């Protein structure tokens, strides 16, 4: 592959995964526009005029607004777990959950946080002693029919610098269904060829046929342009169906100036099609969000159509990035969300629905308003899920708001109708990382994911917090339960335990979450390194979480 394409593929990956505060990069595209914090280079330097502080590139010169950071609104205040439990729960401890441990969360482990078991390693990248072969960017979906989760991720298990896509089925108790460490899904080029990667997987469940469809990006054609590929799996037999195939033809074939990235997918049972939202880059280096549909076998059902429009056509200084997608089975529409530049250098979150035929509906709608329209207040890395009870969506994202000091990013949420109209509280604050208003880059949340299940939302993210025993720069995964209205319910919980507390050698990135109705549990995934592996050996980890019982 020409070096130019390799560099562009890396740059595309930087945008599509939502690199921002505390981002991790392994290529020479670090701390580009929109990134306030990144890991320093090996020589202790940073790009873009940032300063290297405690191995992190930070912008110490950013100005903040003069408004104070507000606490959560009354609608966002805790609505569960604050009242005392009544007796008569069946186990005699008076906590109302019937599990006998007295903590009221129903999971039986006695700690009251909703966790079921501990951190479980899902991937095993061989050799375990080779820290240069990480596993990362997990995604997960659940079959309500067969009651199994399928987890997918990228890994360098074949050779250094060659990513392929891997997967693992697990049951409702988090037990692997198959060989330990997972199975290989993609076969891209010749094994050992570091210039031909499979990357950034995603997954959806087909409720009609009880199948999973996995999608990812990989080279295609003689020019090896980046396109999207697909592979079906039976949820009942847990076996592949057919072989992987090309799912998109973006731009002219065999033209490497056209690239795709960040595929996200959903399924509509009424129409029997998958919806695809992805990042497309044309020969002018302009990035926008595109939509397409796929047939049940994963082949193209409609040609890609541009969904976003930011700036003038051909203007690559104003772009869209970091898409996600969810499907409304009730309304038979898909909803895409993304982060985009505004002409004044602000960055905000947008949504737009499209039909089962792949046709954009209505206009793109801005749903976030992070502070004032300046370089500092930027929203990024949106995630979206569908509420099947009320037929609406919840979008989450990361960003600072009015009065927050540089680097103090939190997780926010907004309810949206199937037509893209905002409803309920505006910009709900989900996370509380560290003390409010502290001018420090040691506390923030990033890379959120969200799922609907058991009549409520569960939002997860990677964050830096001030919990006792945690050190500076020690990322862990956190979660927050929300009522259907978006109101924050109960306390945010820590979900990961990567390495000894106080040691920031061990970190987490890219959480994912899905709800399994078999035992009413959320499966939370992330990539991280732990002291049970070889630091910094990055693998895929799982934590099951149940909604704590309450009045």
């Amino acid at each position: 592959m020409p070096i130019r394409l390799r560099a562009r593929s890396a740059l595309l990956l930087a945008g599509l995964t939502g690199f921002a505060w505390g981002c991790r990069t392994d290529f020479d595209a670090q701390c580009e526009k929109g990134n306030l914090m990144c890991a320093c280079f090996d020589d202790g330097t940073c790009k873009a005029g940032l300063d290297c502080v405690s191995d992190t590139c930070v912008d110490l010169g950013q100005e903040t607004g003069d408004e104070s950071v507000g606490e959560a609104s009354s609608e966002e205040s805790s609505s569960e777990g604050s009242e005392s439990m009544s007796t008569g729960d069946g186990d005699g401890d008076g906590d109302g959950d019937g599990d006998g441990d007295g903590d009221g969360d129903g999971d039986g482990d006695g700690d009251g946080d909703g966790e079921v078991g501990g951190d479980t390693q899902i991937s095993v990248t061989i050799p375990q002693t080779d820290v240069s072969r990480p596993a990362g960017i997990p995604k997960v979906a659940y079959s309500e029919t067969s009651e199994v989760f399928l987890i997918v991720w990228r890994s360098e298990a074949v050779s250094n610098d060659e990513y392929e896509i891997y997967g693992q089925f697990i049951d409702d108790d988090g037990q692997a269904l198959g060989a330990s460490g997972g199975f290989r899904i993609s076969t891209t080029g010749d094994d050992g060829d570091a210039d031909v990667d499979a990357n950034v997987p995603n997954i959806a469940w087909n409720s009609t046929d009880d199948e999973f469809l996995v999608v990812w990006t990989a080279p295609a054609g003689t020019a090896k342009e980046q396109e999207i590929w697909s592979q079906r799996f039976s949820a009942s037999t847990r076996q592949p169906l057919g072989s992987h195939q090309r799912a998109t033809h973006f731009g002219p074939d065999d033209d490497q100036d056209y690239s795709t990235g960040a595929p996200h997918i959903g399924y509509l049972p009424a129409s029997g099609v998958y919806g695809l939202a992805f990042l497309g880059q044309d020969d002018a280096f302009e990035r926008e969000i595109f939509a397409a549909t796929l047939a049940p076998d994963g082949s193209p059902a409609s040609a890609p159509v541009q969904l976003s429009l930011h700036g003038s056509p051909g203007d690559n200084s104003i772009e869209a990035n970091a898409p996600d997608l969810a499907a409304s089975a009730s309304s038979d529409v898909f909803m895409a969300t993304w982060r985009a530049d505004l002409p004044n250098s602000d960055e905000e979150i947008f949504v737009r629905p499209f039909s089962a035929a792949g046709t954009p509906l209505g206009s793109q709608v801005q749903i976030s308003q992070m502070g004032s329209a300046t370089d500092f207040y930027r929203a990024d890395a949106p995630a979206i899920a569908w509420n099947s009870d009320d037929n609406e969506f919840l979008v989450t994202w990361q960003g600072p708001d009015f009065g927050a000091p540089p680097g103090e990013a939190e997780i926010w949420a907004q309810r949206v109708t199937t037509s893209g109209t905002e409803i309920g509280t505006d910009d709900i604050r989900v996370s509380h990382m560290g003390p409010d208003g502290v001018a420090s880059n040691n506390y923030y949340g990033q890379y959120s994911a969200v799922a609907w299940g058991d009549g409520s939302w569960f939002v997860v993210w990677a964050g830096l917090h001030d919990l006792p025993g945690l050190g500076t720069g020690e990322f862990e995964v956190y979660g927050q339960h929300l009522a259907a209205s978006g109101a924050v319910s109960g306390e945010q919980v820590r979900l990961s335990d990567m390495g000894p507390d106080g040691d920031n050698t061990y970190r987490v990135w890219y959480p994912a979450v899905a709800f399994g109705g078999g035992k009413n549990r959320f499966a939370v995934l992330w990539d991280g390194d732990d002291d049970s592996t070889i630091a910094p050996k990055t693998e895929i980890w799982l934590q099951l979480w149940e909604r704590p019982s309450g009045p």
Side-chain angles (χ1 to χ4, degrees):
M1 181 189 300
I3 293 175
R4 179 169 67 112
L5 179 58
R6 183 69 175 179
R8 291 186 62 188
S9 298
L11 184 62
L12 191 60
L13 177 62
L16 61 89
T17 51
F19 285 128
W21 304 273
C23 69
R24 174 186 62 173
T25 66
D26 56 1
F27 46 80
D28 191 25
Q30 185 208 44
C31 291
E32 60 177 357
K33 177 174 68 67
N35 295 338
L36 293 183
M37 298 183 66
C38 308
C40 301
F41 289 123
D42 291 340
D43 62 2
T45 63
C46 300
K47 279 193 171 185
L50 304 186
D51 299 286
C52 186
V53 178
S54 299
D55 297 324
T56 302
C57 295
V58 298
D59 188 347
L60 300 179
Q62 291 282 1
E63 295 180 357
T64 66
D66 56 8
E67 296 86 349
S68 60
V69 176
E71 294 297 325
S73 68
S74 58
E75 183 176 348
E76 299 168 33
S77 61
S78 174
S79 62
E80 292 199 10
S82 59
E83 297 88 348
S84 60
M85 301 290 184
S86 63
T87 58
D89 58 6
D91 59 16
D93 62 14
D95 65 6
D97 62 20
D99 64 12
D101 64 17
D103 62 19
D105 65 9
D107 65 17
D109 64 9
D111 59 13
D113 61 6
E115 290 185 355
V116 181
D119 299 352
T120 301
Q121 184 176 338
I122 298 298
S123 66
V124 180
T125 307
I126 303 298
Q128 280 282 279
T129 54
D130 186 350
V131 298
S132 66
R133 295 190 181 186
I137 315 183
K139 297 294 181 180
V140 58
Y142 185 75
S143 164
E144 297 287 348
T145 303
S146 296
E147 296 187 351
V148 294
F149 295 93
L150 177 55
I151 303 164
V152 295
W153 65 90
R154 70 174 194 183
S155 176
E156 293 185 30
V158 176
S159 68
N160 288 342
D161 298 325
E162 183 197 350
Y163 286 115
E164 295 288 354
I165 307 305
Y166 291 79
Q168 180 65 282
F169 286 93
I170 65 169
D171 64 19
D172 287 322
D173 293 314
Q175 299 299 310
L177 301 173
S180 174
F183 53 87
R184 183 172 173 178
I185 295 175
S186 67
T187 304
T188 307
D190 297 326
D191 285 354
D193 185 351
D195 285 332
V196 184
D197 286 335
N199 227 322
V200 195
N202 221 296
I203 185 172
W205 176 57
N206 173 337
S207 58
T208 304
D209 302 316
D210 193 23
E211 297 176 0
F212 293 102
L213 188 69
V214 182
V215 294
W216 65 91
T217 59
T222 58
K224 299 181 180 178
E225 71 268 27
Q226 294 292 308
E227 294 285 358
I228 297 168
W229 299 77
S230 69
Q231 175 65 59
R232 298 159 58 210
F233 284 88
S234 167
S236 59
T237 67
R238 306 190 298 277
Q239 296 298 313
L241 299 170
S243 58
H244 61 262
Q245 61 180 306
R246 185 170 169 177
T248 59
H249 291 263
F250 184 69
D253 281 352
D254 295 326
D255 187 340
Q256 65 173 317
D257 284 337
Y258 290 82
S259 299
T260 68
H264 287 75
I265 192 169
Y267 179 74
L268 293 177
S271 296
V273 296
Y274 295 94
L276 188 65
F278 63 92
L279 177 62
Q281 181 173 276
D282 63 18
D283 57 353
F285 285 77
E286 181 184 7
R287 300 178 189 175
E288 295 285 358
I289 307 304
F290 289 79
T293 57
L294 304 180
D297 66 357
S299 63
S302 69
V305 176
Q306 186 170 330
L307 202 59
S308 69
L309 179 58
H310 297 278
S312 302
D315 182 0
N316 60 23
S317 66
I318 299 177
E319 62 185 22
N321 222 321
D324 198 1
L325 173 136
S328 165
S330 299
S331 296
D332 204 38
V333 297
F334 301 102
M335 183 68 71
T337 185
W338 64 89
R339 181 267 292 168
D341 299 333
L342 299 182
N344 53 13
S345 297
D346 192 11
E347 294 173 358
E348 298 291 353
I349 306 303
F350 291 78
V351 297
R352 189 178 186 183
F354 64 98
S355 71
T359 304
L361 302 173
S363 302
Q364 63 188 24
V365 178
Q366 179 183 332
I367 63 166
S368 69
Q369 186 61 58
M370 291 286 94
S372 59
T374 69
D375 278 341
F376 173 62
Y377 297 104
R378 287 173 172 156
D380 200 3
I384 187 171
W386 177 57
N387 172 342
S388 56
D389 292 345
D390 302 317
N391 192 26
E392 62 184 48
F393 299 95
L394 187 75
V395 181
T396 64
W397 66 90
Q398 65 195 45
D401 204 353
F402 284 113
E408 189 185 343
E410 298 285 355
I411 305 302
W412 306 82
Q414 180 65 58
R415 292 164 57 209
V416 178
T417 69
T418 56
S419 64
T421 302
E422 294 182 67
I423 51 176
T425 302
D426 186 46
D427 293 359
I428 303 164
R429 181 174 175 180
V430 175
S431 70
H432 288 265
M433 294 282 96
D436 283 351
V438 175
S440 168
N441 291 298
N442 295 330
Y443 313 112
Y444 52 89
Q446 61 180 9
Y447 306 137
S448 65
V450 58
W452 170 263
D454 196 23
S456 59
W457 304 101
F458 192 46
V459 182
V460 299
W461 65 92
L464 296 176
H465 202 8
D466 61 343
L467 292 177
L470 296 186
T472 301
E474 187 174 354
F475 284 90
E476 296 288 356
V477 177
Y478 297 87
Q480 177 66 63
H481 174 250
L482 305 181
S485 66
V488 174
S489 176
E491 300 295 326
Q492 66 186 17
V493 294
R494 176 180 168 182
L495 296 167
S496 68
D497 295 279
M498 293 285 97
D501 285 356
D503 186 347
N504 64 14
T505 303
Y506 306 94
R507 288 186 160 196
V508 301
W509 292 273
Y510 307 126
V513 61
F515 178 72
K519 292 190 174 179
N520 288 342
R521 291 172 175 172
F522 293 89
V524 182
L525 282 300
W526 65 89
D527 60 275
D529 37 61
D530 188 60
D531 53 347
S532 63
T533 59
I534 307 298
K537 181 69 170 180
T538 302
E539 297 286 3
I540 306 304
W541 298 83
L542 164 75
Q543 174 65 64
L544 295 175
W545 188 85
E546 290 181 2
R547 177 184 174 186
S549 300

